[in-house]
Amino acid sequence: MDQIDDSLNQDLDPTETREWVESLNAVINHDGTERAHFLLERMVDSTRRAGGYLPFDPTTEYVNTIPPHMEARSPGDAALEWRIRSLIRWNAMATVVRANRKPGDLGGHISSFASSATLYDVGFNHFWRAPSADHPGDLVFHQGHSAPGVYARSFLEGRISEDQLNLFRMEVEGKGQGLSSYPHPYLMPDYWQVPTVSMGLGPIQAIYQAQFWKYLEHRGLMPKTDRKIWCFMGDGESDEPESLGAIALAGREGLDNLIFVINCNLQRLDGPVRGNGKIIQELEGVFRGAGWNAIKVVWGSYWDPLLARDTSGKLRQLMMETVDGEYQACKAFGGAYTREHFFGKYPETAALVANMSDDDVWRLNRGGHDPHKVYAAYHAAVNTTGMPTVILAKTVKGYGMGTAGESQNPAHNTKKMDDEAIRAFRDRFNIPVPDDKLGEVPFYHPGKDSEEVQYMLERRRALGGSLPQRRRKADQAFKAPTLEAFEQITKGTGDREISTTMALVRGMNLMLRDKELGPRLVPIVADEARTFGMEGMFRQIGIYAPFGQKYRPQDADQLLYYREDQKGQVLQEGISEAGGMSAWLAAATSYSVSNVAMLPFFIYYSMFGFQRIGDLCWAAGDMRARGFLIGGTSGRTTLNGEGLQHEDGHSHLLSGAIPNVVSYDPTFSYELAVILQDGTRRMMQEQEDVYYYITVMNENYAHPDLPKGSEEGIVKGMYLFKDGGKAKKNEPRVQLMGSGTILREVIAAAELLEKDFGVTSDIWSVPSFSEVRREGFDAERWNRLHPESTQRVPYVTGLLADRQGPAIAATDYVREFADQIRAFMPDGMRYTALGTDGYGRSDTRANLRSHFEVDRYWIAQAALAALAKEGKVNAKDVSRAIKEYKLDMDKPNPMTV
């Protein structure tokens, strides 16, 4: 490789080289750069055909992509925009510093916005359109740590008061008026649109939002427009796998409605992003290789004369040689240091700055702080077609903060500034705050009639209105189908055995038939449609493909062939649960982002949901998403062949931790029908900000008819499946409870208890231990706070109040799942929770249920043990059950093996 590189770098005939370059320049001058590029590509192709090895270099010189003579000029008032930007910088700084001078150490970030203020200012003033009658609006994913700067702009616009700025990170104290630490739609539902912290979640969501917009356009659900998604992220954030993990999708599908702006201040939380390398070059190569248009904004306008005089090419060479750690030091140590340690490396570069003072050298600005360079890059980005664009803007972390944080390693965590640093900040940005007020770090507003404020408001009026802003409800709601529409799955299957997964697919197909609601369904899979029996949808509604199907599928002669279509309704996102979830998020928030209400179903292996992509699931709650997440092949014993990594025993504990997730583990198809109908009503008809998590299994069995009057209990999470009959005096009796596939083991256990021991059972189906728990604790809290009022009776307490005997609950999940409702057992009712604690493993379902001690025999034995403690049966009966049911008393606890 070294020999190849050396031969490429050696000029064997300089005269010939000069002639070729002169010829190329002549083509550029006469026919333009595109013609020159075409000729170069043809020559490269000819060389390769001749056997020449030409390695691909995905990066360009370390200079701006757009040369000065091709820059679009900003129509704005540059001087006025600088004053506005300075006021915003001050108020953003004051927001954080004032918060941290209060007791409690509230935290906050100054330096991230300090580095990106110009990037935001140019967008707000000239590019980002708000939803209006004339335009659906752009979507901006703000870098989360820059939130104080966005608040500061809204303060000048009159959207946020000074009192609210004083309540930054004081949301409890503010009682609804406080400002959240980062973008959080759940906490500020009329303001923020998307959460972007944790880092990495913004970029992957932005990509799938862009894809979903194209999906809506191709399906005729949204008019085709020039609206854009702008995603801001830091260069350090690119280390997150979600940040770059899906960029190939954007390139592959030509998502020209997507623009990434990467704030390359060369620093992350602890130090340089690539101290020994060049993050801008690295990211350029990654994005260009993925099919993106990459625009570098490295140097500000003060560098243009130096680059123009760089006839030797030494300055460009030096720029390429210098690593980011050294660039950081130059900004931290000033002009004299930069003269000596940067320009001083070569006589040619030293000569370029010989007539400049040290202050002049220090003022050589980076591109991300030059509004003219930023405007030119944004203009080029919005006019790019056929591919997404990434803008790599070089900035200084902590810009303007001086010794308090400018280009300092600890800058990210800076939240306090001493009086001298604040004085320097004021002077640098010419803020009219007198010396005697500096200690207060006051907010500054020039007045609503000031030139600055009026300019800001005029620019926002021209772009459709204020941003950020969020729509709470779509203009159009959709009536949910009645339960009668689900008759195919509310009626029993007779002798035919099906799985709840099959019942779900039937339910979705029934909903697809609804003329109004059907087109709004978005089935989403991560390359598992055939696993879940959804291949019929390939033919029925097609798989979305932005360019249609350009090949004849291998199974074209079959009824259920793999059909891709530009108007396809299924989103098949490949082997990427994070991608599938991000697509689901785009559909689940479409009611707000695009005023187009959609109902997405994301079906996946349940183990790979809340556990694997839990941060996105949490973000979905924050975003007030609406839709169905379907945890397929759920439970620790139903996916019998897969083993430890695939068998889920705890997803319901994770889903239950998210306040606006409604979780169910149904056993029978009619339960599923009731849940689908009620969820659709709540999310599409009533437009409630909830989303549903439903687990389904791949185990086939017969399903009974919907019991009359059980609908309310199913929705609330518990109902009487089978009444054991009128209780007889002193008869041994138990309350058996279960969900999902293990409810069938509970039913079988009741038969064993009756047949072998004369014990009567009442059987309860509990489709949602989580919902029962929430209702119970809500009642318990109300009772504590209203001691003199009539006390509420928790739902489960009321159901069991007049029932006899101990209660035994068994599920295919860890014991904590069923144990959630222990607090609401009626006084004196003994409660035993059985579950699948431990790691999953491969075996038959019967063996797995025996191993985890949740099959019918273990349930029956647990019931007898509880009855024995109450004196209703004797210990010999418990021992007899162990012997007759061949239970191994000495087997290890499944939690430990």
Side-chain angles (χ1 to χ4, degrees), residues 96-97 100-102 105 108 110 401 404 413-418 421-422:
V96 177
V97 171
N100 284 283
R101 290 187 175 184
K102 299 174 183 178
D105 197 20
I110 305 172
M401 293 171 61
N413 292 313
T414 299
K415 55 190 177 184
K416 298 178 181 179
M417 294 174 66
D418 60 28
I422 291 171

Side-chain angles (χ1 to χ4, degrees), residues 338-543:
T338 303
R339 181 191 301 277
E340 177 183 354
H341 294 277
F342 179 75
F343 289 105
K345 289 185 177 180
Y346 296 108
E348 296 91 338
T349 54
L352 288 174
V353 295
N355 294 327
M356 297 173 64
S357 68
D358 289 345
D359 286 342
D360 290 336
V361 172
W362 183 78
R363 277 194 293 267
L364 289 169
N365 56 338
R366 292 182 179 178
H369 299 299
D370 187 325
H372 308 291
K373 301 293 185 183
V374 173
Y375 181 92
Y378 284 9
H379 184 274
V382 298
N383 288 286
T384 296
T385 59
M387 62 196 313
T389 295
V390 60
I391 295 170
L392 302 167
K394 189 176 184 179
T395 64
V396 178
K397 194 154 192 174
Y399 181 82
M401 293 171 61
T403 57
E406 186 162 352
S407 204
Q408 307 288 316
N409 277 339
H412 182 83
N413 292 313
T414 299
K415 55 190 177 184
K416 298 178 181 179
M417 294 174 66
D418 60 28
D419 290 348
E420 190 55 41
I422 291 171
R423 184 187 305 276
F425 194 99
R426 178 203 63 179
D427 294 344
R428 180 167 180 176
F429 295 109
N430 197 23
I431 307 299
V433 173
D435 287 348
D436 62 347
K437 297 291 185 182
L438 276 180
E440 302 173 14
V441 199
F443 299 117
Y444 179 78
H445 197 294
K448 64 179 182 179
D449 296 325
S450 65
E451 186 180 15
E452 293 91 344
V453 171
Q454 288 302 308
Y455 182 88
M456 293 174 69
L457 295 177
E458 185 280 325
R459 291 309 309 140
R460 290 315 311 163
R461 282 192 294 269
L463 292 166
S466 298
L467 284 177
Q469 63 167 281
R470 181 182 176 277
R471 179 187 291 108
R472 288 198 183 209
K473 292 188 177 183
D475 291 341
Q476 183 182 7
F478 291 86
K479 189 173 182 180
T482 64
L483 192 56
E484 286 71 23
F486 292 90
E487 185 179 13
Q488 283 189 20
I489 55 174
T490 57
K491 281 193 170 183
T493 60
D495 293 333
R496 188 182 177 198
E497 296 185 342
I498 66 168
S499 66
T500 47
T501 301
M502 187 180 297
L504 169 77
V505 175
R506 286 185 180 179
M508 291 174 62
N509 279 315
L510 293 170
M511 295 171 74
L512 285 167
R513 295 178 188 175
D514 187 296
K515 291 183 179 180
E516 295 295 323
L517 182 66
R520 303 295 174 135
L521 259 67
V522 186
I524 303 171
V525 289
D527 198 36
E528 290 284 1
R530 297 185 191 276
T531 299
F532 302 121
M534 296 173 60
E535 63 269 31
M537 292 184 180
F538 295 168
R539 174 70 181 273
Q540 179 187 354
I541 55 178
I543 302 165

Side-chain angles (χ1 to χ4, degrees), residues 661-664 715-717 768-776:
V661 174
V662 186
S663 305
Y664 289 96
V715 170
K716 286 186 174 182
S768 183
F769 282 94
S770 300
E771 286 298 292
V772 172
R773 169 194 175 275
R774 286 179 177 174
E775 190 278 340

Side-chain angles (χ1 to χ4, degrees), residues 112-113 115-116 119-120 140-148 150 181-183 192 196-197 199 230-237 261-265 267 397 412:
S112 289
F113 178 73
S115 66
S116 58
L119 302 176
Y120 285 102
V140 181
F141 285 72
H142 299 84
Q143 190 179 1
H145 295 90
S146 296
V150 183
S181 54
Y182 307 123
W192 294 117
T196 49
V197 177
M199 287 188 284
W230 296 74
C231 178
F232 281 74
M233 61 181 281
D235 48 358
E237 192 175 353
V261 181
I262 304 185
N263 176 21
C264 297
N265 56 36
Q267 290 180 240
K397 194 154 192 174
H412 182 83

Side-chain angles (χ1 to χ4, degrees), residues 616-634:
L616 286 166
C617 296
W618 185 262
D622 191 349
M623 293 171 71
R624 298 172 178 259
R626 303 171 188 166
F628 291 100
L629 291 183
I630 309 297
T633 57
S634 176

